[in-house]
Amino acid sequence: LVKDKKRESVWDRSNGVSLQLCFVSVHLPAKSAKSRQEAFETICSRLGMMLTGQDCNLTECFHHTVISGDFNFRVSAESSVDGMQAVEWLKTGRPDLLFEHDEFKVATRARST
C-alpha cells in the first residue's frame, strides 16, 4: 500500500501495476428523491476534486470506487408496485424485479437517456 497526502493506491510489485481504489460511506437525506440525488451528485463531484485536485467526478477519478452506506432510496413513487407485490418478489427470489423500480436506478437511467 502506497500512501500520499490525498489518496491511497495499491501497488502490485509482481507486474508493476498501480491501482487506485476509493471507499466512501454516505448517509443521504431522507427528505425526497430529488434531495438524495442532488446530495449524491454533490458528494461525487466535490470528493473527486478534494481527493485528486482535478475537476473530476469521484466515480471517474479512480480505477474502482465503492460507495456504501444509507442511500435512503426507495421504490420509486412513480412505480405501480405496492407492498404486497414487493414482498412477493422477495419471497420468490426475484429482487431484480423490485430493483427495476429503485429510485436511484430510475434516476440514473433517466440521466443516461
Side-chain angles (χ1 to χ4, degrees), residues 28-87:
L28 300 181
K31 183 178 179 182
S32 69
K34 183 178 179 181
S35 66
R36 287 185 283 282
Q37 189 66 35
E38 288 172 353
F40 183 79
E41 290 171 4
T42 299
I43 289 167
C44 288
S45 65
R46 289 189 182 169
L47 270 180
M49 174 65 85
M50 286 174 57
L51 295 174
T52 66
Q54 301 172 14
D55 187 18
C56 67
N57 187 297
L58 183 64
T59 60
E60 300 163 346
C61 298
F62 299 90
H63 293 113
H64 299 283
T65 302
V66 177
I67 304 173
S68 62
D70 187 350
F71 288 80
N72 267 317
F73 284 102
R74 297 157 170 81
V75 172
S76 175
E78 290 80 36
S79 171
S80 60
V81 177
D82 64 15
M84 295 299 287
Q85 182 65 62
V87 169

